Amino acid sequence: MAPSEETPPEAAARLRKELGDKDLIVCILGSTKFQGAESEELVKAMAAELSLAVGSRVKFVTGGMPGVQEVFAKHCGEGDRVWNLLPVGEESSFGVGTQLNAGANLEARRAIFGLLGDLYITVEGGPGVSEEVKAAHARGAAVVPLVRTGGASSGMFDFPVAALEKPKWASETQWSLLFDKEDVVDSATAVACLVKEFANAQKTPNIWELLDELIGLDRGSLTKLLGVVLTILVVVSLILIYREVSRERYDLALLHGGFLVLLFGLVGSVAFVLTETSRLEEENKRPIESPAFVKKTN
């Protein structure tokens, strides 16, 4: 089937496969002409922050429009994680990013765009942005509206009210900075933090979460239980070794001794896994701070 003949759901499904089914798709929405005095600076800072804050699993998609989308594409690192979606037969004039084509016209492309992303970031915007966000939010996509920039992002043009409310995965501090007009860098950093928080929330549950769901024990309780079981096994092994030695059955004593060595190896392995798991989880929870933000707060 030719791309121009696809239905919006068919086109969105095709594009998801091209971009990577397991990757996180972040769509950028906003005005085609900046209205606010600081909006362009904010988009530049946000694009730079996002290019540094998230890994290669996150991909950014624009609609190939001037204004917010063009400025974002041109300031998101080298542009290697930016894709520009345009109607069939049209080409991007950005000079950065990878081009995607779907939809026979702009209206069809907008419908596809609203079905494509996992998360949508909005800056300013008019009725068109509001319509795309409504479609995305209705199917459960996340929305990060830069309320401080006004327009649709602040609730105008019938923008969905629920999309302005803090989602469960977002921290109160970062969400409040979407409204705060005091500092552009703070708001840009907050967007990067929120995208990372959302990406972390979509990860496959770790072994501890799965065990907690299956047997109802948290990590602390499970660790204590394992400690008790291993201690009992060590004590039993020592008793058996002592008994066999006292009976001069050294072959059996060696057999029990070998089991004890394996048991100590198991204890060491469990301790290593617990330590590494805790370290990695702490790294994931660590807030993102850009060099500019760190310099400012110092």
Side-chain angles (χ1 to χ4, degrees), residues 7 10-11 17 31 35 57-58 69 77 119 137 141 154 158 188 209 212 216 231 249 259 271:
T7 65
E10 289 171 341
K17 288 183 179 180
S31 300
Q35 305 298 316
R57 178 175 168 261
V58 179
Q69 294 180 339
L119 182 146
H137 189 261
S154 66
D158 202 24
E209 294 167 334
D212 183 41
T231 300
R249 295 194 293 192
F259 174 75

PDB file of all heavy atoms in Angstrom, residues 7 10-11 17 31 35 57-58 69 77 119 137 141 154 158 188 209 212 216 231 249 259 271:
ATOM      1  N   THR A   7      -4.533   4.598   6.043  1.00  0.00           N
ATOM      2  CA  THR A   7      -5.339   5.285   7.042  1.00  0.00           C
ATOM      3  C   THR A   7      -4.397   5.796   8.121  1.00  0.00           C
ATOM      4  O   THR A   7      -3.268   5.292   8.256  1.00  0.00           O
ATOM      5  CB  THR A   7      -6.367   4.329   7.678  1.00  0.00           C
ATOM      6  OG1 THR A   7      -5.662   3.307   8.397  1.00  0.00           O
ATOM      7  CG2 THR A   7      -7.259   3.695   6.612  1.00  0.00           C
ATOM      8  N   GLU A  10      -2.954   3.008  10.269  1.00  0.00           N
ATOM      9  CA  GLU A  10      -2.004   2.180   9.520  1.00  0.00           C
ATOM     10  C   GLU A  10      -0.662   2.903   9.361  1.00  0.00           C
ATOM     11  O   GLU A  10       0.399   2.299   9.515  1.00  0.00           O
ATOM     12  CB  GLU A  10      -2.577   1.847   8.142  1.00  0.00           C
ATOM     13  CG  GLU A  10      -3.741   0.863   8.182  1.00  0.00           C
ATOM     14  CD  GLU A  10      -4.427   0.706   6.831  1.00  0.00           C
ATOM     15  OE1 GLU A  10      -4.258   1.607   5.969  1.00  0.00           O
ATOM     16  OE2 GLU A  10      -5.126  -0.307   6.644  1.00  0.00           O
ATOM     17  N   ALA A  11      -0.738   4.196   9.055  1.00  0.00           N
ATOM     18  CA  ALA A  11       0.493   4.970   8.890  1.00  0.00           C
ATOM     19  C   ALA A  11       1.252   5.077  10.204  1.00  0.00           C
ATOM     20  O   ALA A  11       2.491   4.946  10.239  1.00  0.00           O
ATOM     21  CB  ALA A  11       0.154   6.363   8.365  1.00  0.00           C
ATOM     22  N   LYS A  17       7.110   1.146  13.669  1.00  0.00           N
ATOM     23  CA  LYS A  17       8.059   0.076  13.362  1.00  0.00           C
ATOM     24  C   LYS A  17       9.358   0.649  12.815  1.00  0.00           C
ATOM     25  O   LYS A  17      10.443   0.173  13.129  1.00  0.00           O
ATOM     26  CB  LYS A  17       7.440  -0.894  12.358  1.00  0.00           C
ATOM     27  CG  LYS A  17       6.348  -1.774  12.950  1.00  0.00           C
ATOM     28  CD  LYS A  17       5.822  -2.770  11.925  1.00  0.00           C
ATOM     29  CE  LYS A  17       4.746  -3.650  12.538  1.00  0.00           C
ATOM     30  NZ  LYS A  17       4.215  -4.632  11.560  1.00  0.00           N
ATOM     31  N   SER A  31       3.651  26.618  18.212  1.00  0.00           N
ATOM     32  CA  SER A  31       3.297  27.662  17.250  1.00  0.00           C
ATOM     33  C   SER A  31       4.255  27.663  16.060  1.00  0.00           C
ATOM     34  O   SER A  31       5.436  27.334  16.186  1.00  0.00           O
ATOM     35  CB  SER A  31       3.345  29.040  17.924  1.00  0.00           C
ATOM     36  OG  SER A  31       2.444  29.095  19.001  1.00  0.00           O
ATOM     37  N   GLN A  35       5.198  33.691  19.770  1.00  0.00           N
ATOM     38  CA  GLN A  35       4.405  34.804  20.287  1.00  0.00           C
ATOM     39  C   GLN A  35       5.041  35.429  21.525  1.00  0.00           C
ATOM     40  O   GLN A  35       5.008  36.642  21.700  1.00  0.00           O
ATOM     41  CB  GLN A  35       2.984  34.317  20.633  1.00  0.00           C
ATOM     42  CG  GLN A  35       2.253  33.641  19.479  1.00  0.00           C
ATOM     43  CD  GLN A  35       2.037  34.582  18.307  1.00  0.00           C
ATOM     44  OE1 GLN A  35       1.659  35.743  18.489  1.00  0.00           O
ATOM     45  NE2 GLN A  35       2.263  34.078  17.095  1.00  0.00           N
ATOM     46  N   ARG A  57      17.385   5.617  23.305  1.00  0.00           N
ATOM     47  CA  ARG A  57      16.073   4.977  23.223  1.00  0.00           C
ATOM     48  C   ARG A  57      14.962   5.998  22.989  1.00  0.00           C
ATOM     49  O   ARG A  57      13.880   5.652  22.538  1.00  0.00           O
ATOM     50  CB  ARG A  57      15.810   4.202  24.521  1.00  0.00           C
ATOM     51  CG  ARG A  57      14.458   3.524  24.570  1.00  0.00           C
ATOM     52  CD  ARG A  57      14.293   2.668  25.808  1.00  0.00           C
ATOM     53  NE  ARG A  57      12.912   2.256  25.981  1.00  0.00           N
ATOM     54  CZ  ARG A  57      12.058   2.839  26.798  1.00  0.00           C
ATOM     55  NH1 ARG A  57      12.444   3.862  27.531  1.00  0.00           N
ATOM     56  NH2 ARG A  57      10.811   2.420  26.893  1.00  0.00           N
ATOM     57  N   VAL A  58      15.227   7.266  23.276  1.00  0.00           N
ATOM     58  CA  VAL A  58      14.229   8.329  23.091  1.00  0.00           C
ATOM     59  C   VAL A  58      14.451   9.010  21.744  1.00  0.00           C
ATOM     60  O   VAL A  58      15.562   9.434  21.431  1.00  0.00           O
ATOM     61  CB  VAL A  58      14.307   9.370  24.227  1.00  0.00           C
ATOM     62  CG1 VAL A  58      13.284  10.484  24.005  1.00  0.00           C
ATOM     63  CG2 VAL A  58      14.069   8.695  25.575  1.00  0.00           C
ATOM     64  N   GLN A  69       8.871  23.841  16.099  1.00  0.00           N
ATOM     65  CA  GLN A  69       9.432  22.559  15.653  1.00  0.00           C
ATOM     66  C   GLN A  69      10.783  22.740  14.956  1.00  0.00           C
ATOM     67  O   GLN A  69      11.714  21.964  15.171  1.00  0.00           O
ATOM     68  CB  GLN A  69       8.428  21.851  14.739  1.00  0.00           C
ATOM     69  CG  GLN A  69       7.167  21.429  15.487  1.00  0.00           C
ATOM     70  CD  GLN A  69       6.168  20.723  14.595  1.00  0.00           C
ATOM     71  OE1 GLN A  69       6.187  20.844  13.373  1.00  0.00           O
ATOM     72  NE2 GLN A  69       5.255  19.981  15.206  1.00  0.00           N
ATOM     73  N   GLY A  77      21.025  18.698  19.854  1.00  0.00           N
ATOM     74  CA  GLY A  77      22.284  18.025  19.564  1.00  0.00           C
ATOM     75  C   GLY A  77      22.673  18.163  18.103  1.00  0.00           C
ATOM     76  O   GLY A  77      22.553  19.233  17.501  1.00  0.00           O
ATOM     77  N   LEU A 119       4.717  10.594  24.174  1.00  0.00           N
ATOM     78  CA  LEU A 119       4.672  11.823  24.979  1.00  0.00           C
ATOM     79  C   LEU A 119       4.742  13.025  24.040  1.00  0.00           C
ATOM     80  O   LEU A 119       5.485  13.005  23.056  1.00  0.00           O
ATOM     81  CB  LEU A 119       5.832  11.835  25.969  1.00  0.00           C
ATOM     82  CG  LEU A 119       5.929  13.027  26.932  1.00  0.00           C
ATOM     83  CD1 LEU A 119       6.496  12.571  28.280  1.00  0.00           C
ATOM     84  CD2 LEU A 119       6.821  14.140  26.368  1.00  0.00           C
ATOM     85  N   HIS A 137      -4.023  12.760  23.838  1.00  0.00           N
ATOM     86  CA  HIS A 137      -4.378  12.569  25.245  1.00  0.00           C
ATOM     87  C   HIS A 137      -5.543  11.588  25.394  1.00  0.00           C
ATOM     88  O   HIS A 137      -5.582  10.792  26.350  1.00  0.00           O
ATOM     89  CB  HIS A 137      -4.749  13.924  25.872  1.00  0.00           C
ATOM     90  CG  HIS A 137      -4.909  13.868  27.358  1.00  0.00           C
ATOM     91  ND1 HIS A 137      -6.137  13.766  27.975  1.00  0.00           N
ATOM     92  CD2 HIS A 137      -3.990  13.882  28.363  1.00  0.00           C
ATOM     93  CE1 HIS A 137      -5.975  13.741  29.272  1.00  0.00           C
ATOM     94  NE2 HIS A 137      -4.684  13.804  29.544  1.00  0.00           N
ATOM     95  N   ALA A 141      -1.781   9.022  25.625  1.00  0.00           N
ATOM     96  CA  ALA A 141      -0.416   9.546  25.521  1.00  0.00           C
ATOM     97  C   ALA A 141      -0.183  10.595  26.603  1.00  0.00           C
ATOM     98  O   ALA A 141      -1.108  11.281  27.041  1.00  0.00           O
ATOM     99  CB  ALA A 141      -0.187  10.157  24.143  1.00  0.00           C
ATOM    100  N   SER A 154      -1.378  26.791  27.588  1.00  0.00           N
ATOM    101  CA  SER A 154      -1.868  27.312  28.871  1.00  0.00           C
ATOM    102  C   SER A 154      -3.343  27.007  29.083  1.00  0.00           C
ATOM    103  O   SER A 154      -3.933  27.456  30.065  1.00  0.00           O
ATOM    104  CB  SER A 154      -1.648  28.831  28.939  1.00  0.00           C
ATOM    105  OG  SER A 154      -2.440  29.497  27.972  1.00  0.00           O
ATOM    106  N   ASP A 158      -9.610  25.271  23.775  1.00  0.00           N
ATOM    107  CA  ASP A 158     -10.206  23.986  24.160  1.00  0.00           C
ATOM    108  C   ASP A 158      -9.144  22.900  24.379  1.00  0.00           C
ATOM    109  O   ASP A 158      -9.381  21.726  24.127  1.00  0.00           O
ATOM    110  CB  ASP A 158     -11.215  23.539  23.090  1.00  0.00           C
ATOM    111  CG  ASP A 158     -12.230  22.536  23.644  1.00  0.00           C
ATOM    112  OD1 ASP A 158     -12.443  22.538  24.867  1.00  0.00           O
ATOM    113  OD2 ASP A 158     -12.770  21.755  22.848  1.00  0.00           O
ATOM    114  N   ALA A 188      13.413  24.634  31.121  1.00  0.00           N
ATOM    115  CA  ALA A 188      13.969  23.709  30.128  1.00  0.00           C
ATOM    116  C   ALA A 188      14.501  22.442  30.803  1.00  0.00           C
ATOM    117  O   ALA A 188      14.277  21.320  30.335  1.00  0.00           O
ATOM    118  CB  ALA A 188      15.082  24.395  29.347  1.00  0.00           C
ATOM    119  N   GLU A 209      10.301  -5.878  41.817  1.00  0.00           N
ATOM    120  CA  GLU A 209       8.896  -5.504  41.634  1.00  0.00           C
ATOM    121  C   GLU A 209       8.061  -6.711  41.230  1.00  0.00           C
ATOM    122  O   GLU A 209       6.921  -6.871  41.670  1.00  0.00           O
ATOM    123  CB  GLU A 209       8.795  -4.389  40.588  1.00  0.00           C
ATOM    124  CG  GLU A 209       9.423  -3.086  41.043  1.00  0.00           C
ATOM    125  CD  GLU A 209       9.602  -2.085  39.913  1.00  0.00           C
ATOM    126  OE1 GLU A 209       9.717  -2.505  38.757  1.00  0.00           O
ATOM    127  OE2 GLU A 209       9.623  -0.881  40.206  1.00  0.00           O
ATOM    128  N   ASP A 212       7.646  -8.884  44.291  1.00  0.00           N
ATOM    129  CA  ASP A 212       6.694  -8.261  45.206  1.00  0.00           C
ATOM    130  C   ASP A 212       5.261  -8.514  44.745  1.00  0.00           C
ATOM    131  O   ASP A 212       4.358  -8.770  45.543  1.00  0.00           O
ATOM    132  CB  ASP A 212       6.968  -6.759  45.288  1.00  0.00           C
ATOM    133  CG  ASP A 212       6.049  -6.074  46.288  1.00  0.00           C
ATOM    134  OD1 ASP A 212       5.813  -6.646  47.367  1.00  0.00           O
ATOM    135  OD2 ASP A 212       5.553  -4.977  45.982  1.00  0.00           O
ATOM    136  N   GLY A 216       4.181 -10.987  47.300  1.00  0.00           N
ATOM    137  CA  GLY A 216       3.771 -10.001  48.296  1.00  0.00           C
ATOM    138  C   GLY A 216       4.842  -9.610  49.285  1.00  0.00           C
ATOM    139  O   GLY A 216       4.533  -9.142  50.388  1.00  0.00           O
ATOM    140  N   THR A 231      21.556 -18.799  56.501  1.00  0.00           N
ATOM    141  CA  THR A 231      22.191 -19.043  57.813  1.00  0.00           C
ATOM    142  C   THR A 231      21.882 -20.449  58.305  1.00  0.00           C
ATOM    143  O   THR A 231      22.770 -21.163  58.808  1.00  0.00           O
ATOM    144  CB  THR A 231      21.707 -18.008  58.841  1.00  0.00           C
ATOM    145  OG1 THR A 231      22.046 -16.694  58.393  1.00  0.00           O
ATOM    146  CG2 THR A 231      22.338 -18.251  60.204  1.00  0.00           C
ATOM    147  N   ARG A 249      34.463 -40.427  58.569  1.00  0.00           N
ATOM    148  CA  ARG A 249      33.971 -40.621  57.203  1.00  0.00           C
ATOM    149  C   ARG A 249      34.312 -39.350  56.409  1.00  0.00           C
ATOM    150  O   ARG A 249      33.474 -38.487  56.168  1.00  0.00           O
ATOM    151  CB  ARG A 249      32.472 -40.909  57.204  1.00  0.00           C
ATOM    152  CG  ARG A 249      32.152 -42.235  57.895  1.00  0.00           C
ATOM    153  CD  ARG A 249      30.754 -42.710  57.633  1.00  0.00           C
ATOM    154  NE  ARG A 249      29.743 -41.832  58.232  1.00  0.00           N
ATOM    155  CZ  ARG A 249      28.437 -42.157  58.335  1.00  0.00           C
ATOM    156  NH1 ARG A 249      28.015 -43.312  57.849  1.00  0.00           N
ATOM    157  NH2 ARG A 249      27.599 -41.321  58.891  1.00  0.00           N
ATOM    158  N   PHE A 259      29.553 -28.575  49.457  1.00  0.00           N
ATOM    159  CA  PHE A 259      28.255 -27.889  49.474  1.00  0.00           C
ATOM    160  C   PHE A 259      28.356 -26.562  50.215  1.00  0.00           C
ATOM    161  O   PHE A 259      27.773 -25.549  49.793  1.00  0.00           O
ATOM    162  CB  PHE A 259      27.213 -28.788  50.154  1.00  0.00           C
ATOM    163  CG  PHE A 259      25.879 -28.121  50.340  1.00  0.00           C
ATOM    164  CD1 PHE A 259      25.015 -27.932  49.268  1.00  0.00           C
ATOM    165  CD2 PHE A 259      25.489 -27.656  51.593  1.00  0.00           C
ATOM    166  CE1 PHE A 259      23.789 -27.310  49.436  1.00  0.00           C
ATOM    167  CE2 PHE A 259      24.272 -27.026  51.777  1.00  0.00           C
ATOM    168  CZ  PHE A 259      23.419 -26.862  50.686  1.00  0.00           C
ATOM    169  N   ALA A 271      24.725 -11.056  47.581  1.00  0.00           N
ATOM    170  CA  ALA A 271      25.162  -9.758  48.108  1.00  0.00           C
ATOM    171  C   ALA A 271      25.554  -8.816  46.974  1.00  0.00           C
ATOM    172  O   ALA A 271      25.227  -7.621  46.985  1.00  0.00           O
ATOM    173  CB  ALA A 271      26.333  -9.954  49.071  1.00  0.00           C
TER     174      ALA A 271
END
